[in-house]
Amino acid sequence: MDCIFCKIASGTIPAKKAYEDDLCLAFHDLNPQAPTHLLVVPRQHLISLAHATPQHAALLGHLLQVTAQLAGALGLSKGFRAVLNSGADGGQTVDHLHVHLLGGRAMHWPPG
Ligand code: 5GP
Ligand code: ZN
């Protein structure tokens, strides 16, 4: 499958990995938007949050729990932002669901 995050998950494309388990992996974003910018990605190819079904509930919960665990491990005690861009208007550019973990600076609201 011609999916960049599937290729990172299988090891075909290199990435700076920060975490992995049976269900997901986390790696540093190639184009970081904050001092800490990781992507938490399920191993299974799921296009976006809009494509999630009740069968994906446990996986989605796991992704968020891993995101919080990583934020703690990376010392983001002042806070962090977790983002799921979904679809064109959501700003999604890679069609494999991922949670952005951003931290190390104060975030702005509303987002762009
Ligand atoms: P999206 O725009 O879909 O929410 O986020 C996709 C993210 O993937 C972007 O922040 C982009 O910098 C990152 N990205 C795209 N291609 C690669 C890659 O090959 N390696 C890594 N580590 N990040 C990538
Ligand atoms: Zn994929």
Side-chain angles (χ1 to χ4, degrees):
M1 189 186 288
D2 195 23
C3 169
I4 208 156
F5 289 174
C6 281
K7 286 178 179 168
I8 288 174
S10 68
T12 315
I13 289 179
K16 195 178 162 198
K17 285 182 196 160
Y19 174 86
E20 50 188 328
D21 64 26
D22 289 349
L23 294 174
C24 71
L25 68 160
F27 51 90
H28 293 263
D29 197 293
L30 205 56
N31 183 23
Q33 300 302 314
T36 297
H37 186 175
L38 270 68
L39 302 171
V40 184
V41 172
R43 289 192 182 279
Q44 95 178 63
H45 183 81
L46 172 60
I47 297 172
S48 79
L49 195 55
H51 294 75
T53 68
Q55 277 80 24
H56 296 111
L59 176 62
L60 294 172
H62 183 68
L63 295 175
L64 290 180
Q65 190 277 319
V66 166
T67 300
Q69 183 183 311
L70 279 167
L74 293 165
L76 302 177
S77 57
K78 289 174 74 180
F80 60 91
R81 184 166 291 174
V83 175
L84 285 122
N85 295 328
S86 186
D89 274 7
Q92 185 175 9
T93 59
V94 176
D95 288 337
H96 179 133
L97 184 144
H98 47 281
V99 181
H100 292 262
L101 168 58
L102 297 143
R105 66 168 170 84
M107 300 295 151
H108 307 292
W109 194 264

